[in-house]
Amino acid sequence: MARTTVVKIGGSTLGSEDTTLQDVVAMHRAGDRPVVVHGGGAMITDWLKRLDIPSQFVDGLRSTNAEAIDVVVGVLRGVVNTQLVGQIVALGGRAVGLCGVDGGLVTAERYDDRLGFVGRVTGVNAEVLRGLLDSGAIPVIAPIGLEPPSQPLNINADTVAGEVARALRADSLVFLTDVEGLLDGQGALVPELDQALAKALREAGVLAGGMIPKVDACFRAAEAGVAASMADGTVPGMLRRVAFGERVGTRIVA
Ligand SMILES: Nc1ncnc2c1ncn2[C@@H]1O[C@H](COP(=O)(O)OP(=O)(O)OP(=O)(O)O)[C@@H](O)[C@H]1O
Ligand SMILES: [Mg+2]
C-alpha cells in the first residue's frame, strides 16, 4: 500500500544544503505519495521591506493588511512555490504547485480584526489532492486559504500541513525545521512528546515561538491516526530516515 507522507519544509531550511527535495523524489519513485507544504515568512518580510510596506506584529503574529496580503500571495504562491516546484521538476519529479485557494483546497476565515487577512482553517477538501496524487503528481502547497467566496488569507504553514495530513488521513506528517526536534529546558532533545509533557513545557515557557504551531498541528494530525514528528531538515537524508521509521527527532505519542 502506497504511504502518504505530508512534509512541511520550513522557510528556515529553504536554501540550506539539505537533501529534502531529493528525498521527496526518491520516495515518490519508490511508490509513496509525498505531499509538500512550505513556509516562507523570511522572504515575505524581505519583500515587504523592499516594497516599503510596514510590518506590524500582534502577540508575535504578523498583521496582514490589504496591501500586505497581495505581497504574501505573490511571494508564497509566486516566488517560493514556483522555486520549489522547479527544483523538484529538475530532479525528475512531477511536482504541481498550488495553494489552498486552488480547487477550494483549504477554506479559512478571519478570526482577529487586529491581524487582518490572517486565517484559521475551516476545512480541507482532500479530494483535490487525491486527484493529483492518483495521477502521479507531487502536490506542493503554499499556505494560503480561501475565505468564501474569493478572499485569499495568510495561514500558518504548520497549521496547513497538520490539517492537510488530517484530512488526507496520511500515514505520516513530518516537520522539517532547523533544530533537531523539540528541546527541553536543558536544551536536550525530547524524543517522545505526549500531551502532558507538551502542556508542562508550554507552561514553563520552553515550548515557544515557531514550535507552538508545529506541536499543535502534530497533535491535531495524531488525533486522526497520523504518525507525526519533527526533525532537522538541514541534515542530509533526514526525511527518508524519518519515513523509514528511524528514531530521530521528536515523535508525537498520542
Ligand atoms: N523548545 C524548543 N525546542 C526547539 N526549538 C524551539 C523551542 N522553542 C522555540 N523554538 C524555536 O523554534 C524554531 C523553529 O520554528 P521556526 O518557525 O523558526 O522554523 P520553521 O517553522 O521550520 O520555518 P518557517 O516558520 O520559516 O516555515 C527553532 O529554530 C527555535 O528557535
Ligand atoms: Mg515556523
Side-chain angles (χ1 to χ4, degrees), residues 8 10-12 156-158 177 209-211 213-214:
K8 191 268 180 163
S12 58
N156 181 283
D158 296 339
T177 183
M211 277 292 159
K214 265 184 246 307

Side-chain angles (χ1 to χ4, degrees), residues 32-199:
D32 283 353
R33 290 154 64 98
V35 174
V36 175
V37 178
H38 63 83
M43 200 180 278
I44 293 169
T45 304
D46 183 45
W47 272 97
L48 288 171
K49 255 191 222 140
R50 287 203 221 177
L51 296 167
D52 236 354
I53 300 172
S55 286
Q56 272 182 4
F57 287 86
V58 178
D59 301 334
L61 291 171
R62 189 203 319 270
S63 155
T64 306
N65 63 20
E67 220 181 359
I69 187 69
D70 285 350
V71 178
V72 167
V73 172
V75 171
L76 290 177
R77 177 75 171 95
V79 182
V80 181
N81 191 274
T82 306
Q83 258 172 20
L84 285 171
V85 168
Q87 285 164 1
I88 296 173
V89 168
L91 291 166
R94 198 155 65 74
V96 173
L98 70 167
C99 73
V101 176
D102 296 77
L105 172 63
V106 179
T107 47
E109 64 184 8
R110 276 171 270 190
Y111 64 95
D112 185 338
D113 287 342
R114 297 173 305 162
L115 292 174
F117 294 97
V118 172
R120 68 168 160 228
V121 177
T122 52
V124 175
N125 181 356
E127 285 315 309
V128 175
L129 293 177
R130 288 205 187 94
L132 286 170
L133 291 167
D134 289 346
S135 78
I138 302 173
V140 179
I141 305 169
I144 299 160
L146 175 68
E147 183 180 62
S150 63
Q151 175 64 52
L153 298 179
N154 184 9
I155 310 180
N156 181 283
D158 296 339
T159 310
V160 171
E163 295 303 319
V164 163
R166 189 180 159 96
L168 269 179
R169 304 207 163 274
D171 296 283
S172 59
L173 166 66
V174 183
F175 285 97
L176 292 174
T177 183
D178 60 351
V179 283
E180 272 186 275
L182 183 69
L183 307 177
D184 67 16
Q186 276 72 49
L189 177 71
V190 175
E192 291 190 347
L193 183 70
D194 61 17
Q195 289 273 19
L197 181 55
K199 183 165 181 280

Side-chain angles (χ1 to χ4, degrees), residues 209-225:
M211 277 292 159
I212 292 177
K214 265 184 246 307
V215 167
D216 288 344
C218 280
F219 283 115
R220 279 279 294 168
E223 266 173 32

Side-chain angles (χ1 to χ4, degrees), residues 1-5 27 31-34 170-173 227 242-245:
M1 200 32 199
R3 289 173 47 84
T4 301
T5 303
M27 285 162 68
D32 283 353
R33 290 154 64 98
D171 296 283
S172 59
L173 166 66
V242 176
F244 284 135

